[in-house]
Amino acid sequence: MDRLPAVNLLPEAFPRDDLAGQLGFIWQQIKTPLIVPLLKLAVGLCLVFAVLLFMERVYMGIVITYVKWFGRKPEKRYKWEPIKDDPELGNSVYPMVLVQIPMYNEKEVYQLSIGAACGLSWPSDRIIIQVLDDSTDPTIKSMVELECHRWASKGINIKYEIRENRVGYKAGALKEGLKRSYSKQCDYVVIFDADFQPEPDFLWRSIPFLVHNPDIALVQARWVFVNADECMMTRMQEMSLDYHFTVEQEVGSSTYAFFGFNGTAGIWRIAAIEAAGGWKDRTTVEDMDLAVRASLKGWKFLYVGDLQVKSELPSTFNAFRHQQDRWSCGPANLFRKMAMEIIRNKNVTTFKKFYVIYSFFLVRKIIAHIITFVFYCIVLPLTVLIPEVEVPKWGSIYMPCIITLLNSVGTPRSVHLLFFWVLFENVMALHRSKATIAGLLGAKKANVWVVTEKLGSKTTNSKAPKKPRFRIRERLHLTELAFGLFLALVSCYDFVYGKNNYFIFLSLQAITFFIVGFGYVGTIIPS
């Protein structure tokens, strides 16, 4: 029988002996019908989400401008007057206040926080300091307990509380603290993390808002940072957090819409906590969870920007990265669990529900992280390799520049660092994106709590903080190095074969990824 002729499945032009030529031929065959349309779709989606972020920033800018020029201070918007002495009632005219200080192996800062809390000015028989120590190191537990006894010997009403386990992490500790019999007699609870140092007049300035306005559940103070000038990384953190407090928190408070509790440096009405269902540990943002639930019950929140509390910024990259993972993963996971509950709620206005879902969660907590990384670190570089796809200048240059300028209003002293801030934020967007997606998917890591390491600030502690030991595995970050290499190669391609549209930006972004990848981000001191 005659053999059937062989069927040639490959085109005649296919280079059979040249591997590079084969790969190039395959690339040309799939680029036009598949890669180009997909990349155009990705560019289109990124531009849509970037416009949403741009509109959010412009809205915030308009509102904060109006507030600064024409808005009334919190003391004018709400009733505020000092609590007056009453000869007949004596100190009972002052509400009972519980001050909670949750701790976990806080060797470097426990004395600062306990000392600052014990230094609060308030009638001594109307305040209770509660140290909630979840430390696992017996030596540190003994030191914290001894410090509490030292202040108790001075007449301070301070309680040292421990648990058998760390169930619920911080939320569990706060919940257990409110169950104590002496806590039941308190009207308000103030929460300070272990590195926070309130001024003595904190209670005199905050409690009158709660006393004279029964619909207010929370008074949130602003954070200020004692170690902001420690290194370039802390300067970058200060810029981001200053925008959050100066703009985002102020806008949410001034428009009576919504803003999240920052987890510390705030004072709660205990009745509001109980009405909202108490502390829950279903996410790593127990503070935001409580704030959303209390808001859905109709309670109001007040942010007082002039009420400032000193705190410490993470000064090592690992500590900062773990903090950002928690702050990104937690909100996304909470949104996943509460979106329908917010939509169905009938106790608040449609505007507040829209604000919480769209502005607070969707744009700021989800879109902002993902679009920053995907657009500037993936899609934009790919358009260099595939010149058939172009990004309009308004989307790649003009709009991002306006967003960056609007972000600078929180920290005017750092305007000259804006470009470095953009590069650093793009690197951190890698971690935030991964954490956000994990939160949306409900991954196991969404409920893993890693406490932010505190080293103690040189400006507030006479002893210099100990530097962490150098570990090569902790110092190197392979993901950042991989993206740095990718961006470096793309920038070289743009310089040699492209239009040089993004050569400078991609080169500097690659360098930033390398700096972070090799663990040097915490050692660059700003001038």
Side-chain angles (χ1 to χ4, degrees), residues 334-349:
L334 182 63
F335 176 71
R336 175 177 178 267
K337 294 179 177 180
M338 289 201 69
M340 294 310 300
E341 181 180 345
I342 297 171
I343 293 172
R344 296 191 185 112
N345 185 273
K346 298 180 180 180
N347 296 325
V348 297
T349 63

Side-chain angles (χ1 to χ4, degrees), residues 96-287:
M96 281 291 295
V97 179
L98 177 68
V99 180
Q100 291 185 317
I101 311 175
M103 290 192 172
Y104 176 73
N105 294 335
E106 308 290 0
K107 181 179 179 181
E108 303 294 342
V109 295
Y110 74 94
Q111 289 180 311
L112 295 174
S113 57
I114 294 176
C118 292
L120 288 169
S121 176
W122 198 250
S124 58
D125 60 337
R126 308 299 292 173
I127 185 173
I128 303 173
I129 311 297
Q130 186 184 66
V131 178
L132 304 168
D133 190 10
D134 273 357
S135 298
T136 55
D137 187 324
T139 302
I140 297 177
K141 291 178 72 171
S142 298
M143 294 166 63
V144 175
E145 185 177 13
L146 182 62
E147 183 70 8
C148 293
H149 289 324
R150 188 173 73 85
W151 282 102
S153 66
K154 297 181 180 182
I156 300 297
N157 189 2
I158 185 170
K159 308 291 184 181
Y160 177 72
E161 302 288 356
I162 59 174
R163 300 187 293 164
E164 294 182 356
N165 53 60
R166 292 185 64 216
V167 173
Y169 303 107
K170 180 180 176 181
L174 297 173
K175 185 176 182 179
E176 286 296 317
L178 290 179
K179 291 181 179 179
R180 297 293 184 263
S181 57
Y182 57 83
S183 300
K184 302 295 183 181
Q185 58 185 307
C186 296
D187 304 292
Y188 309 112
V189 57
V190 194
I191 301 170
F192 295 115
D193 282 353
D195 58 313
F196 278 71
Q197 305 158 57
E199 296 295 331
D201 64 348
F202 180 90
L203 298 178
W204 294 110
R205 297 180 60 187
S206 59
I207 286 182
F209 286 112
L210 295 161
V211 170
H212 300 304
N213 303 273
D215 56 344
I216 293 181
L218 164 70
V219 176
Q220 174 69 58
R222 178 177 176 173
W223 303 357
V224 292
F225 311 105
V226 296
N227 64 331
D229 292 327
E230 185 172 334
C231 63
M232 181 69 83
M233 187 181 70
T234 54
R235 288 290 291 271
M236 302 297 102
Q237 293 177 66
E238 181 194 37
M239 294 174 70
S240 298
L241 287 171
D242 277 354
Y243 177 83
H244 168 69
F245 283 104
T246 304
V247 179
E248 292 178 342
Q249 297 294 72
E250 188 70 71
V251 168
S253 178
S254 300
T255 57
Y256 306 96
F258 173 78
F259 67 87
F261 173 44
N262 292 113
T264 179
I267 176 168
W268 276 90
R269 188 186 302 273
I270 294 181
I273 295 179
E274 295 173 347
W279 293 102
K280 294 185 179 181
D281 59 357
R282 55 182 173 174
T283 69
T284 57
V285 284
E286 75 295 325
D287 45 9

Side-chain angles (χ1 to χ4, degrees), residues 493-508:
Y493 181 90
D494 192 26
F495 180 75
V496 177
Y497 301 108
K499 302 177 182 178
N500 290 332
N501 288 339
Y502 307 117
F503 169 71
I504 296 178
F505 169 73
L506 293 177
S507 300
L508 293 175

Side-chain angles (χ1 to χ4, degrees), residues 282-476:
R282 55 182 173 174
T283 69
T284 57
V285 284
E286 75 295 325
D287 45 9
M288 188 182 297
D289 189 341
L290 176 61
V292 173
R293 287 184 282 115
S295 178
L296 295 180
K297 292 291 184 180
W299 291 98
K300 294 180 179 179
F301 304 154
L302 175 63
Y303 169 71
V304 185
D306 293 335
L307 185 61
Q308 301 180 349
V309 180
K310 297 176 182 178
S311 64
E312 177 187 334
L313 292 164
S315 53
T316 65
F317 181 68
N318 280 335
F320 179 55
R321 185 181 61 177
H322 289 316
Q323 180 199 70
Q324 294 302 299
D325 282 346
R326 190 173 75 246
W327 286 4
S328 302
C329 183
N333 195 23
L334 182 63
F335 176 71
R336 175 177 178 267
K337 294 179 177 180
M338 289 201 69
M340 294 310 300
E341 181 180 345
I342 297 171
I343 293 172
R344 296 191 185 112
N345 185 273
K346 298 180 180 180
N347 296 325
V348 297
T349 63
T350 302
F351 169 73
K352 176 171 282 192
K353 288 192 288 186
F354 176 79
Y355 184 89
V356 173
I357 291 177
Y358 173 78
S359 180
F360 182 79
F361 275 115
L362 193 60
V363 176
R364 280 189 257 162
K365 306 301 181 183
I366 298 175
I367 289 178
H369 301 327
I370 296 177
I371 194 64
T372 299
F373 172 67
V374 172
F375 187 41
Y376 296 108
C377 300
I378 298 179
V379 173
L380 203 63
L382 287 178
T383 61
V384 173
L385 301 177
I386 306 175
E388 292 89 341
V389 181
E390 293 187 0
V391 180
K393 289 186 177 180
W394 61 264
S396 62
I397 300 176
Y398 304 138
M399 198 163 57
C401 288
I402 296 175
I403 293 176
T404 302
L405 290 175
L406 291 174
N407 274 307
S408 69
V409 300
T411 317
R413 78 184 186 102
S414 298
V415 171
H416 63 292
L417 297 175
L418 264 181
F419 189 70
F420 300 102
W421 175 81
V422 169
L423 297 174
F424 183 66
E425 283 292 290
N426 288 347
V427 176
M428 292 311 303
L430 165 63
H431 296 285
R432 295 177 183 135
S433 297
K434 292 190 298 183
T436 298
I437 294 172
L440 288 174
L441 297 178
K444 289 184 178 180
K445 67 168 291 185
N447 294 315
V448 175
W449 180 286
V450 179
V451 177
T452 304
E453 180 188 19
K454 293 113 182 162
L455 299 179
S457 172
K458 297 177 182 179
T459 60
T460 57
N461 194 346
S462 58
K463 296 180 180 180
K466 293 182 179 180
K467 294 183 178 180
R469 286 190 305 171
F470 176 85
R471 296 184 178 92
I472 188 65
R473 288 194 303 175
E474 293 182 2
R475 187 72 179 263
L476 288 179

Side-chain angles (χ1 to χ4, degrees), residues 19-31:
L19 179 60
Q22 293 174 9
L23 295 176
F25 183 86
I26 295 173
W27 169 252
Q28 292 298 326
Q29 294 300 308
I30 66 173
K31 184 174 73 169

